[in-house]
Amino acid sequence: MTSPILAGIETEYGLLVEGRGAEDQIDDSQQVIRSYPGHCFVGWDYRFESPRSDLRGFTQARLNYDPEDAKFDAGRHHRSDSEVRSDRVLPNGARLYNDHGHPEYSTPECLSLRELALHDKAGEIAVLRAAAAYSEHRGLDVRLYKNNTDFHGASYGTHESYLVPREIGYERLYRAVMPMLIARQILCGAGKVGSETGESAPFQLSQRADFFTESASVDTLFRRPVFNTRDEPHGDPEEWIRLHVIAGDANMMASCTARKVGLVKIALSLAGIGQAPVWEIPDPVRAFQKVSRDMTREFRVPLKGANWTVAYEIIDSYLSAYERLFAATDDPELLATCVECRSLCGALRNGEDVSSRIDWAAKLAMLQHYMEEEGTDWADPALRSFDLEYHNPDPAEGLYAALAEMGSVEPLPYEEDLLDRLSGNFEPTRALARGLAVSKFSDRLLGVSWASLIFRGGHEPMELYLPPDHSYPAQLEAAKSVEEFIEILRGA
Amino acid sequence: MMFDADRLTKPGAPTPAKKLGDDSGPSKPDVRKPEGGNELLKRMKKVDPDQDRQRSGE
């Protein structure tokens, strides 16, 4: 495994435009993206995208599509894919685009958990700026929600990507990561009022649990799996897998974002040396949903046969193995994640208040406070509105931001730190090269993807492959010409 | 090193006191306004109860 592991987060935002409905959402989201007021490059290169390729070694003929969305599209003509998506590449190497009617911010690739969490929060500013510009242009109220459900049966994703050596293989990856995906929601779920499928529940840990129907598949739009098998490496396919995790929630707490990613990195580190704990979970979908709905804090997970364990034990098995096997050599952030997660598990088990540290607990405490004040209960439909507003990223309006202002949860990151991330990178990843190409030489750029840059040359285009595991030098910033930039990149 | 993950079955956990949620999403819920002087309650009072259908995402 690379150490530390390269990772990124894509967040699709819920979008509400005054007077408009779901049937207009693709058009509205497209216009929101096109309204982004900051410097950016338009010209995403789609050649390396392969959403139907499966890690298990085959290509799906077609992806499942939500039949409700098909009704919205009946009789409507959309423009070409690239026009609809309207990709913008930002000076930090991030991708901002319209994904099936949702403004999506894909962070630049990051090495550290802290940087990734800050870039994820910086993405809130990017989409808010785009929405504000569109709102001003149309004279309509435009609202965004960094969440994963509309409470009417539609879900949109917050996906994580991890760079993993191909040699690990699908089977080992699945067995190492699946138990962690089921268990980690107790430490980083965003929380949700009610349920949208199956047995009713007053509150859940996970925004996404209701929408999983398969253990593993390549789908993301409909019939979603806990473990996504999309094989789209954005790097040399002989060498790399990009593990595409779709089971996580959109977090408002930066520390939850870091924890969510840190726990998967711990699982991947153990998978890389063949030392991940072995848990036989025969029905991952049922296990995920059972943990999500367990308000007793027992978090029982059914195992093979008549056995069972609890999510705490699953998490602890990974933390203990990581601490034992990587203590002196590896990533201090992941070692700190172990300490933090063990502390949180202990607090949860003891029934202690963790509302300042985990999104679902903060939301639950907020709703319980409201119910006590109002003498109401879980049947109150207003709770879903408050759930939604918890995820309003506008610091002047959102309920999460209010909790932060009151000191009930961790403070919001400094705006200056987020603006710095919006305009550049602080790590030597390929996002540094991508972002600098946009900020310095966009007039010469012809195409950008995660894995390559294409510049206009004297006679023919010049394409550069950006290996995901290379260290990209800070001296790129000093390059005075495209030719010098390319020369430095070729020497990287 | 591998780990033996099996656990023996334990007595069941207590049933949650409330199971009042339902599966129908509210379109225009009646939001009652909480009283209070803190920032959270001020913002809760302003919450727009309208929630329209979204498209499924990728």
Side-chain angles (χ1 to χ4, degrees):
Chain A
M1 297 291 295
T2 55
S3 179
I5 298 167
L6 197 68
I9 296 177
E10 318 146 34
T11 302
E12 296 175 44
Y13 285 76
L15 173 66
L16 287 180
V17 179
E18 179 187 356
R20 309 270 285 175
E23 66 278 9
D24 305 308
Q25 204 175 317
I26 287 183
D27 295 336
D28 286 330
S29 176
Q30 174 186 318
Q31 293 306 322
V32 166
I33 298 301
R34 288 172 178 235
S35 301
Y36 180 70
H39 178 68
C40 57
F41 171 73
V42 181
W44 190 257
D45 178 0
Y46 296 95
R47 286 175 301 157
F48 302 101
E49 307 210 343
S50 54
R52 293 183 290 112
S53 296
D54 196 300
L55 283 174
R56 294 167 292 186
F58 54 88
T59 299
Q60 185 107 321
R62 55 181 289 277
L63 298 175
N64 283 302
Y65 194 65
D66 188 334
E68 288 300 312
D69 287 350
K71 290 180 194 169
F72 296 139
D73 289 336
R76 295 175 77 90
H77 175 70
H78 295 299
R79 297 188 225 179
S80 69
D81 265 1
S82 61
E83 286 180 289
V84 169
R85 286 176 173 252
S86 303
D87 295 81
R88 267 63 181 151
V89 188
L90 308 192
N92 61 0
R95 180 185 182 189
L96 179 67
Y97 72 114
N98 162 35
D99 196 353
H100 294 85
H102 297 272
E104 173 165 329
Y105 183 84
S106 299
T107 68
E109 304 92 324
C110 295
L111 293 166
S112 82
L113 300 178
R114 178 176 184 274
E115 282 302 310
L116 184 53
L118 287 173
H119 274 289
D120 178 70
K121 293 299 283 186
E124 296 176 14
I125 295 177
V127 290
L128 282 168
R129 285 179 169 180
Y134 182 57
S135 174
E136 188 174 344
H137 171 67
R138 288 292 304 268
L140 298 172
D141 186 38
V142 178
R143 287 172 175 270
L144 292 162
Y145 296 101
K146 190 189 184 191
N147 76 334
N148 305 106
T149 178
D150 71 347
F151 302 105
H152 294 268
S155 182
Y156 29 99
T158 299
H159 301 168
E160 303 140 55
S161 294
Y162 301 88
L163 187 69
V164 178
R166 174 77 58 177
E167 64 188 15
I168 289 183
Y170 167 74
E171 283 296 334
R172 201 192 325 167
L173 202 53
Y174 175 88
R175 291 176 66 82
V177 172
M178 178 64 92
M180 180 57 86
L181 297 183
I182 293 166
R184 72 172 181 166
Q185 60 182 308
I186 74 171
L187 302 183
C188 50
K192 168 176 161 174
V193 173
S195 58
E196 292 170 85
T197 58
E199 188 184 337
S200 67
F203 187 83
Q204 300 191 54
L205 307 187
S206 161
Q207 294 241 311
R208 293 280 273 176
D210 284 345
F211 302 99
F212 299 129
T213 59
E214 316 294 323
S215 298
S217 89
V218 74
D219 280 303
T220 55
L221 278 163
F222 192 59
R223 297 187 62 79
R224 295 180 182 87
V226 179
F227 187 97
N228 185 242
T229 55
R230 178 184 295 182
D231 190 4
E232 193 179 62
H234 298 311
D236 182 350
E238 298 289 319
E239 198 173 354
W240 301 111
I241 287 171
R242 176 182 62 116
L243 175 65
H244 190 227
V245 171
I246 69 166
D249 289 348
N251 288 111
M252 299 305 292
M253 285 188 199
S255 63
C256 272
T257 298
R259 192 179 308 133
K260 170 175 71 181
V261 173
L263 285 168
V264 170
K265 285 191 175 189
I266 286 169
L268 291 174
S269 299
L270 293 168
I273 56 169
Q275 297 292 328
V278 176
W279 295 96
E280 300 287 352
I281 301 173
D283 188 344
V285 174
R286 178 170 163 251
F288 200 111
Q289 292 172 342
K290 189 174 167 59
V291 170
S292 179
R293 289 159 183 252
D294 185 354
M295 297 314 295
T296 69
R297 293 192 179 187
E298 185 187 27
F299 304 133
R300 189 184 290 205
V301 177
L303 299 175
K304 195 174 177 183
N307 294 325
W308 58 271
T309 186
V310 290
Y312 305 113
E313 297 287 345
I314 293 175
I315 291 170
D316 187 65
S317 69
Y318 284 85
L319 304 183
S320 298
Y322 186 85
E323 286 173 326
R324 187 169 57 255
L325 296 166
F326 290 89
T329 57
D330 222 64
D331 188 333
E333 275 191 321
L334 294 188
L335 290 170
T337 299
C338 290
V339 173
E340 183 198 35
C341 290
R342 190 166 278 120
S343 156
L344 278 170
C345 282
L348 279 167
R349 270 184 145 156
N350 293 332
E352 294 168 19
D353 178 15
V354 292
S355 61
S356 64
R357 303 167 72 188
I358 308 177
D359 270 314
W360 69 258
K363 186 185 289 180
L364 180 61
M366 175 187 81
L367 297 172
Q368 286 174 329
H369 178 64
Y370 170 81
M371 288 188 282
E372 284 165 17
E373 289 277 319
E374 292 296 295
T376 183
D377 60 27
W378 286 110
D380 187 340
L383 300 183
R384 279 179 162 159
S385 299
F386 296 139
D387 184 340
L388 192 64
E389 288 298 329
Y390 179 89
H391 295 272
N392 183 338
D394 186 338
E397 293 186 353
L399 298 185
Y400 174 75
L403 289 171
E405 190 174 313
M406 293 163 55
S408 301
V409 295
E410 67 192 25
L412 296 174
Y414 291 117
E415 187 179 20
E416 185 183 347
D417 285 340
L418 301 184
L419 294 176
D420 284 347
R421 267 74 189 177
L422 210 49
S423 58
N425 273 288
F426 296 87
E427 292 183 316
T429 68
R430 65 183 180 183
L432 175 71
R434 189 185 310 115
L436 286 172
V438 169
S439 59
K440 293 171 67 76
F441 304 117
S442 55
D443 57 330
R444 290 277 302 274
L445 268 175
L446 291 175
V448 173
S449 73
W450 296 115
S452 73
L453 300 172
I454 306 175
F455 290 101
R456 185 180 297 108
H459 301 290
E460 56 186 24
M462 298 181 290
E463 180 164 7
L464 284 129
Y465 172 59
L466 303 175
D469 57 329
H470 282 199
S471 181
Y472 292 80
Q475 68 188 105
L476 282 166
E477 187 154 15
K480 292 185 169 52
S481 67
V482 170
E483 287 70 25
E484 187 184 349
F485 188 77
I486 290 173
E487 193 178 318
I488 296 170
L489 272 179
R490 285 186 171 146
Chain B
M1 177 180 287
M2 305 297 273
F3 295 84
D4 179 6
D6 285 353
R7 286 278 303 268
L8 294 176
T9 302
K10 289 183 175 179
T15 305
K18 293 177 179 176
K19 283 278 186 186
L20 299 176
D22 63 51
D23 290 331
S24 59
S27 55
K28 287 183 181 294
D30 175 21
V31 180
R32 286 173 291 284
K33 309 299 184 188
E35 297 300 323
N38 67 35
E39 182 61 27
L40 177 66
L41 292 179
K42 282 180 193 166
R43 293 191 186 191
M44 289 175 108
K45 287 178 185 177
K46 294 179 187 171
V47 167
D48 180 351
D50 290 337
Q51 294 175 26
D52 289 329
R53 176 83 164 78
Q54 297 269 309
R55 300 178 68 96
S56 289
E58 185 171 344

